[in-house]
């Protein structure tokens, strides 16, 4: 009976990140953003949400399959071509969703409270997703392969999609921080450095992410056993992406609700 419970728990963990950054990454991104919100903006947003933005960091993953929000299902990734230029998708993508939500909130004072809340939730999640290495789709490159993750003292040892390694397994193999602790460890840049990170448009940010995240194709290959050397090389990229996403999310929300 104990073995069945453990297997069931592992299945829940393994499937929790199938579609996006896992809970940990989304919550860390939201916490970094929250720590960089202007006090008045933070107060205003929480009045609409009834909670902090961290509470709703994974909301889109939890509601994407419901009839009401099924339209947002394709919004969790972006495509770039061989030159790392943005390729819009007919059914929408993360940049489309961000344009949609930020466009709506330009007139937020004339929207219902529930409409404002939903669009905030979209922004919180999608800025996170567009920074996830596995959610940048590179035309001409296969990123759907499987690997063997874990080995030596890295547990669990699993056969996994490389997507899930970036979303979940890498972080869980070496970090046990709460979102607040993790955000505190990462959020150490100067005001000048933060200002440079948030410059540009959503398309500029995607290009920046796509160039940096090309590293993923050097670090992992089909059927490879990914152990400590992979973790050592992957985590700086993952943490940079979470940090940049947090600063950029704060910038967008501060701009809208200032």
């Amino acid at each position: 009976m104990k073995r069945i419970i453990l297997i069931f728990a592992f299945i829940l963990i393994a499937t929790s990140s199938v579609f996006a950054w896992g809970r940990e990454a989304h919550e860390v991104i939201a916490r970094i953003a929250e720590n960089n919100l202007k006090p008045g903006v933070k107060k205003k947003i929480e009045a609409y949400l009834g909670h902090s933005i961290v509470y709703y960091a994974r909301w889109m993953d939890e509601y994407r399959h419901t009839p009401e929000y099924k339209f947002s299902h394709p919004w969790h990734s972006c495509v770039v071509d061989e030159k790392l230029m943005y390729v819009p998708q007919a059914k929408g993508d993360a940049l489309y969703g961000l344009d949609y939500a930020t466009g709506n909130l330009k007139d937020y004072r004339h929207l219902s409270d529930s409409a404002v809340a939903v669009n905030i939730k979209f922004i919180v999640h999608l800025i996170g997703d567009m920074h996830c290495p596995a959610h940048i789709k590179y035309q001409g490159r296969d990123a759907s392969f499987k690997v063997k993750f874990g080995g030596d003292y890295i547990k669990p040892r699993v056969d996994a999609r490389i997507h899930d390694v970036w979303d979940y397994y890498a972080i869980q193999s070496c970090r046990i921080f709460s979102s607040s602790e993790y955000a505190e460890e990462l959020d150490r840049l100067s005001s000048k450095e933060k200002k440079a990170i948030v410059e540009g448009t959503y398309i500029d940010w995607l290009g920046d992410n796509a160039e940096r995240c090309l590293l993923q194709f050097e670090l992992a290959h089909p059927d490879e056993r990914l152990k400590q050397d992979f973790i050592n090389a992957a985590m700086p990229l993952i943490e940079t992406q979470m940090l940049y996403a947090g600063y950029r999310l704060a910038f967008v929300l501060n701009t809208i609700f200032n």
Side-chain angles (χ1 to χ4, degrees), residues 205-226:
W205 293 352
L206 176 62
D208 174 56
N209 293 335
E211 183 174 359
R212 191 163 41 251
C213 290
L214 273 172
L215 178 63
Q216 66 184 291
F217 298 104
E218 298 178 22
L219 298 183
H221 304 92
D223 299 317
E224 187 175 4
R225 169 68 68 181
L226 304 181

Side-chain angles (χ1 to χ4, degrees), residues 36 186-198 243-244 247:
N36 286 273
L186 295 181
D187 184 7
R188 294 169 180 262
L189 299 190
S190 66
S191 297
K192 183 177 180 180
E193 289 170 316
K194 293 177 184 180
K195 183 178 180 180
I197 288 169
V198 303
L243 183 63
Y244 278 39
Y247 290 152

Side-chain angles (χ1 to χ4, degrees), residues 128-192:
D129 273 357
M130 71 175 288
H131 285 75
C132 177
H135 286 257
I136 303 172
K137 310 299 183 183
Y138 296 81
Q139 289 184 338
R141 289 180 178 267
D142 177 21
S144 61
F145 55 86
K146 291 185 177 181
V147 296
K148 300 180 185 301
F149 181 81
D152 298 330
Y153 55 84
I154 296 178
K155 304 292 190 301
R157 298 184 184 183
V158 295
D159 292 334
R161 298 188 312 153
I162 187 60
H163 188 131
D164 295 337
V165 172
W166 288 105
D167 282 356
Y168 176 82
Y169 288 118
I171 294 174
Q172 281 296 299
S173 71
C174 61
R175 299 287 186 266
I176 57 173
F177 302 135
S178 69
S179 63
S180 296
E181 292 168 333
Y182 212 161
E184 182 180 358
E185 291 297 327
L186 295 181
D187 184 7
R188 294 169 180 262
L189 299 190
S190 66
S191 297
K192 183 177 180 180

Side-chain angles (χ1 to χ4, degrees), residues 1-40:
M1 182 65 180
K2 183 178 179 181
R3 179 178 175 82
I4 293 174
I5 292 172
L6 288 173
I7 291 172
F8 180 68
F10 175 76
I11 291 171
L12 288 178
I13 291 171
T15 57
S16 66
S17 59
V18 168
F19 298 109
W21 283 112
R23 174 187 59 79
E24 293 79 9
H26 273 299
E27 290 182 0
V28 170
I29 289 166
R31 184 69 69 184
I32 292 170
E34 181 182 57
N35 292 344
N36 286 273
L37 290 178
K38 297 176 182 178

